[in-house]
Every structure is written in C-alpha cells, then in structure tokens.
Amino acid sequence: MKNIFFNNWHFMRYFRIAIALFCFYTAYEENQWVFVPFGVFFLFQAVFNLGCGPRGCNVPTKNREDE
C-alpha cells in the first residue's frame, strides 16, 4: 500500500491533484459546494493512481513469456 502512495508519480497524478485543489478552492471561495464532490473524485484518483495513466487507458496484455 505504501508503494501506491509514494511511487510512480507522473504528470497525470500531479494534474489530478491540481484539479482537485482548484475544485476545493472554487467551492470555498464562491460558496459553490457542488464542486466538492468533483474535488474528492480527482483527489481519490490522484492518491490511489486510478484512471488513465500517461500511456492512455489500455488494458495490459499478457505476454507468452510471462506464463
């Protein structure tokens, strides 16, 4: 679990953190609390490294050598 949080940080993870912080800031400053769930969604994706990564949304294929 520690590996998920501290390794493999790339542009998309930082970008999701930035979007989450922007949503939280907008919700607080403008009193538009509808942005909070969006901020939570992007923060969750960034912390747990979910969603599409820097190489797209491809499903990893298994090589015959791995069997």
Side-chain angles (χ1 to χ4, degrees), residues 9-19 46:
W9 280 84
H10 46 77
F11 174 74
M12 284 306 295
R13 285 183 86 173
Y14 291 118
F15 187 66
R16 288 183 191 121
I17 290 274
I19 292 173

Side-chain angles (χ1 to χ4, degrees), residues 12-45:
M12 284 306 295
R13 285 183 86 173
Y14 291 118
F15 187 66
R16 288 183 191 121
I17 290 274
I19 292 173
L21 293 175
F22 177 74
C23 287
F24 291 139
Y25 174 77
T26 303
Y28 178 74
E29 276 296 312
E30 303 293 329
N31 290 327
Q32 297 291 327
W33 302 108
V34 72
F35 287 109
V36 171
F38 292 109
V40 169
F41 173 73
F42 284 110
L43 185 65
F44 183 78
Q45 277 191 329

